Amino acid sequence: MTTRILRGRVLSFVEEPQARDDRASYRLIEDGAVTIVDGIISAVGTFDPASAAGADIIDHRPYLILPGFIDAHIHFPQMQVIGAYAAALLEWLNTYTFIEEQRFADPAHAARIAGRFFDELIRHGTTTAAAYCSVHPQSVDAFFTAAGERNMLMVGGKVMMDRNAPEGLLDTAQSGYDDTKVLIGKWHGKGRAHCAITPRFAITSTHEQMAAAEALAREFPDLHIQTHVSENLAEIAFANELYPNYGDYVGIYEKFHLLGPKTLLGHCIHLSRRETEVLADTGSVAVFCPTSNLFIGSGLFDYDRLHSHGVRIATATDVGGGSSYSMLRTMDEGYKVMQLRGQRLTPLRSFYHLTLGNARAMSLDHRIGQLAPGMEADIVVLDSSATPQMRLRMETVDTLEQELFLLQTCGDDRAIAETYVMGEAQKSKLAS
Ligand code: GUN
Ligand code: ZN
């Protein structure tokens, strides 16, 4: 049994913040201690030298210690398409992304990129993500092998796509079903691995494949389902053309019984009132991907509208449509998207989303998202003075909210002083 104590300014949310300065939504311990035994948090409180005797103490003062960041939507085979220059979504997919993803038929390539992917997440303080692999089962093997080597809690899925893409990126309704089922048997529940049923989006799946995804969802009701919806106007028109009798885009997933509390729907930008109400009624999660929505020019996510209808919301990078692995950069861009809509994203709400909010949206809040006894010790340590300009600005910061806002506005991977996975330091082990 190894006992480790992380000492620093311990911050953990306990509820969704309401007012801008909602102090009841979080616990901050200025000289705090997170005690970890065999990867699990055993105690959180004020640092006490007497009870720390004999433990491995790591002093992170004056840094903030938070639960590790959670990214609710990312594409691991798109590391080498970040920053691809395209006018809009469908051109971006067809010109770059569908070409790049074909390379993941090669297990050696998939293994190389998977290693780089998790290193990048660790560098940016992200300890859990919901990821799309490619259509190839070997990409899922590479993904979970590399996640397992780092002991990371990851949700991942073999993309199902059987039309409207190059031949090298297509499965069939039957093979998509069979391969997904084999991968679930092989990986789901192995260590910290979680499989997700992953029909890419309605445009790249035939009716037969949607029915196959529905069958998988019925057979494996505990699994996450992840897909894309209502990202771009041309995409919406094409989806409705392919599925003319389904009413609207959300109606397609609804009729195949793919909506529910474990369904993560990337983008959700241009939803009608009916579609919004269906997401709220089914408990489905709308995933806000601001760097992607701005980079691909898809539109401005209407946070307040969805929130006021009771839709559950998560936040995510959507790399490689998204332009940064950093969840700090993501929330900064999310703040700006909301500014353009005349909405306000408070610093407390941002950091709630990065931790407990995204854990709740992914139904993982019994394991991660909070610093509390019994939780898995996935932890990020934040340096609010990581750069010369942040250090200078910190001289004028005197509240927690201001500090969090500075981290969000100016922070990136440089502000991540350390990333712990199940209590083990990971970032400092990486070559810089
Ligand atoms: N819609 C379907 N596939 C994708 C993808 O890979 N990225 C984004 N941003 N949207 C999609
Ligand atoms: Zn995506």
Side-chain angles (χ1 to χ4, degrees), residues 135-138 140-141 144 156-158 160 173-190 193-197 216 219-220 223:
V135 73
H136 316 95
Q138 49 273 40
V140 181
D141 291 337
F144 283 125
K158 185 206 104 70
M160 300 168 74
Q174 189 63 46
S175 74
Y177 171 88
D178 292 342
D179 288 347
T180 302
K181 205 163 165 169
V182 168
L183 290 163
I184 293 168
K186 187 169 177 183
W187 291 109
H188 187 67
K190 186 171 178 192
H194 280 247
C195 288
I197 299 163
L216 287 166
E219 283 175 66
F220 301 99
L223 260 58

Side-chain angles (χ1 to χ4, degrees), residues 63 119 121 183 308 372:
Y63 298 161
D119 287 353
L121 293 190
L183 290 163
S308 67

Side-chain angles (χ1 to χ4, degrees), residues 71-191:
D71 184 343
H73 182 124
I74 186 165
H75 297 258
F76 119 74
Q78 294 179 11
M79 291 193 83
Q80 292 182 299
V81 290
I82 293 182
Y85 190 85
L89 175 67
L90 298 178
E91 180 194 328
W92 178 83
L93 286 172
N94 289 320
T95 313
Y96 304 105
T97 310
F98 288 169
I99 308 303
E100 176 64 21
E101 289 193 12
Q102 291 180 67
R103 298 172 70 199
F104 288 74
D106 172 7
H109 179 71
R112 171 173 177 256
I113 299 296
R116 298 295 289 266
F117 179 75
F118 292 110
D119 287 353
E120 215 53 57
L121 293 190
I122 285 165
R123 210 185 304 286
H124 288 84
T126 298
T127 48
T128 287
Y132 290 63
C133 301
S134 71
V135 73
H136 316 95
Q138 49 273 40
S139 75
V140 181
D141 291 337
F143 177 84
F144 283 125
T145 299
E149 284 163 5
R150 294 157 179 82
N151 205 12
M152 295 174 84
L153 199 176
M154 284 290 147
V155 178
K158 185 206 104 70
V159 163
M160 300 168 74
M161 50 194 297
D162 66 347
R163 66 168 163 182
N164 289 320
E167 192 58 34
L169 213 53
L170 296 181
D171 55 10
T172 66
Q174 189 63 46
S175 74
Y177 171 88
D178 292 342
D179 288 347
T180 302
K181 205 163 165 169
V182 168
L183 290 163
I184 293 168
K186 187 169 177 183
W187 291 109
H188 187 67
K190 186 171 178 192

Side-chain angles (χ1 to χ4, degrees), residues 75 78 89 92-93 97 200-201 228 231 267 292 296 318:
H75 297 258
Q78 294 179 11
L89 175 67
W92 178 83
L93 286 172
T97 310
R200 184 176 204 122
F201 63 161
H228 299 82
E231 178 176 2
H267 307 297
S292 169
I296 308 184
D318 191 31

Side-chain angles (χ1 to χ4, degrees), residues 273-302:
R273 185 185 178 93
R274 193 203 82 84
E275 292 178 298
T276 307
E277 286 170 357
V278 170
L279 296 197
D281 290 348
T282 55
S284 305
V285 177
V287 187
F288 181 19
C289 306
T291 72
S292 169
N293 299 161
L294 292 170
F295 179 77
I296 308 184
S298 301
L300 304 177
F301 184 86
D302 197 343

